[in-house]
Amino acid sequence: MVSALTLLGLNEVMARYASYETLAEIIRYRFTEPKDTLKELFARLVFNILCGNTDDHARNHAAFWDGKELSLTPAYDICPQGRSGNEASQAMLISGNNNLSQLKSCLASAHNFLLSKTAAKLIFAQQKSIIAENWNLVCEQAELSEVDSRLLWGRQFLNVFSIVEE
């Protein structure tokens, strides 16, 4: 397994320069099934924003390496964070110098993942729907109290600020 930090050729000091944009470029040229992998990485970025996971640094993305080919590992270390106010920033840059935790940041970068704006918006809709449809069940399985469930909903999960698309 090799971290995105290593794939990006960065060390811990330079980690703040890690970006989804550059990782997407590496995926296009070095990964198996690049189109599917790019779509999956984009969906993970969207999910991170929708659930408030701003701890998406380059050590929390990785690939399996079999000596010849790279393939994306399953997602891991997803940890929704509280927001002070409504603003939040992803640990990795989304494109350029933008790391703002909003769907509009993803939409502006969709082309880096070989996705049209229509395809990106479909991923937004699917993920928002899945989160909303499964919220109560997941809270029940996690044994969250009603108070904690209400605290997380609309703050970390589907925060109004995060779902701004344009």
Side-chain angles (χ1 to χ4, degrees), residues 64-136:
F64 292 122
W65 168 248
D66 68 2
K68 291 192 239 177
E69 300 177 315
L70 293 163
S71 59
L72 200 60
T73 65
Y76 59 92
D77 201 14
I78 298 168
C79 182
Q81 305 292 315
R83 291 177 182 245
S84 55
N86 283 323
E87 288 197 27
S89 301
Q90 297 308 117
M92 282 181 39
L93 298 166
I94 296 170
S95 67
N97 288 321
N98 180 13
N99 67 340
L100 195 58
S101 301
Q102 290 184 315
L103 293 183
K104 72 178 181 179
S105 300
C106 297
L107 193 60
S109 186
H111 66 280
N112 291 317
F113 299 85
L114 304 179
L115 296 169
S116 67
K117 290 190 185 239
T118 301
K121 287 182 177 188
L122 180 60
I123 290 170
F124 298 167
Q126 289 169 333
Q127 290 212 5
K128 287 189 278 188
S129 175
I130 288 168
I131 291 169
E133 289 171 13
N134 291 284
W135 181 252
N136 291 330

Side-chain angles (χ1 to χ4, degrees), residues 43-54 56 83 90 94 99-106 127 131 155-159 161-163:
R44 290 180 188 188
L45 169 59
V46 169
F47 183 77
N48 285 336
I49 288 171
L50 293 176
C51 80
N53 178 33
T54 56
D56 61 337
R83 291 177 182 245
Q90 297 308 117
I94 296 170
N99 67 340
L100 195 58
S101 301
Q102 290 184 315
L103 293 183
K104 72 178 181 179
S105 300
C106 297
Q127 290 212 5
I131 291 169
R155 290 191 179 139
Q156 279 91 339
F157 289 83
L158 300 183
N159 179 286
F161 182 76
S162 72
I163 60 176

